[in-house]
Amino acid sequence: DVNLVESGGGSVQAGGSLILSCAASGETYKEYYKSYLMAWFRQREGEEREGVAAIDINGAISYADSVKGRFTISKDTTGSFLFLQMNGLNPEDTGVYICAADGPPVINGVFRTREFNFWGQGTQVTVFS
């Protein structure tokens, strides 16, 4: 099994910052995590889930154009935690942020959402002006 639990969401004024965390666990995760690309997605109300940032097994990082220069994805050395540092938040960043594991590489900025195998429940981020 692979368990992904997000935390760190909340309400913040435009221009503010939040740090999201994703705690990863489970026997399957412990065995295979070194081969997993990890990513953050978000789902805004009434819209499809979209990729925000991804980090592969070699540490290569991809960002959606809308968050480049503002968000930073990272993971700890044990592979147990994935983070998303979000700065310069604006109301368009409002949504449910979801951690995902075991997906394909991001090529030309395209996150192949349906091909990710494991998902967390998400944490709500609300940015007010």
Side-chain angles (χ1 to χ4, degrees):
D1 57 332
V2 174
N3 302 306
L4 304 173
V5 180
E6 303 91 339
S7 61
S11 295
V12 62
Q13 192 167 22
S17 299
L18 284 173
I19 301 175
L20 304 183
S21 299
C22 172
S25 63
E27 292 304 314
T28 302
Y29 184 80
K30 288 178 186 177
E31 185 170 356
Y32 295 108
Y33 76 94
K34 291 184 179 179
S35 66
Y36 287 169
L37 179 146
M38 303 290 291
W40 286 98
F41 287 76
R42 69 183 175 194
Q43 189 153 19
R44 293 181 278 203
E45 190 170 347
E47 298 185 15
E48 291 189 0
R49 192 168 295 186
E50 63 174 349
V52 173
I55 183 167
D56 75 9
I57 60 173
N58 298 312
I61 291 173
S62 301
Y63 294 103
D65 287 344
S66 59
V67 306
K68 280 180 183 175
R70 300 188 298 122
F71 290 12
T72 303
I73 188 172
S74 62
K75 58 184 178 181
D76 76 325
T77 54
T78 69
S80 297
F81 290 93
L82 182 72
F83 304 103
L84 187 67
Q85 170 76 51
M86 306 188 294
N87 298 327
L89 286 161
N90 58 62
E92 290 70 40
D93 294 316
T94 293
V96 177
Y97 283 72
I98 308 160
C99 176
D102 191 21
V106 178
I107 300 174
N108 295 328
V110 176
F111 290 75
R112 287 144 64 184
T113 308
R114 291 182 176 83
E115 296 181 43
F116 278 75
N117 288 315
F118 305 107
W119 296 89
Q121 293 297 308
T123 184
Q124 175 71 42
V125 171
T126 302
V127 185
F128 55 93
S129 55

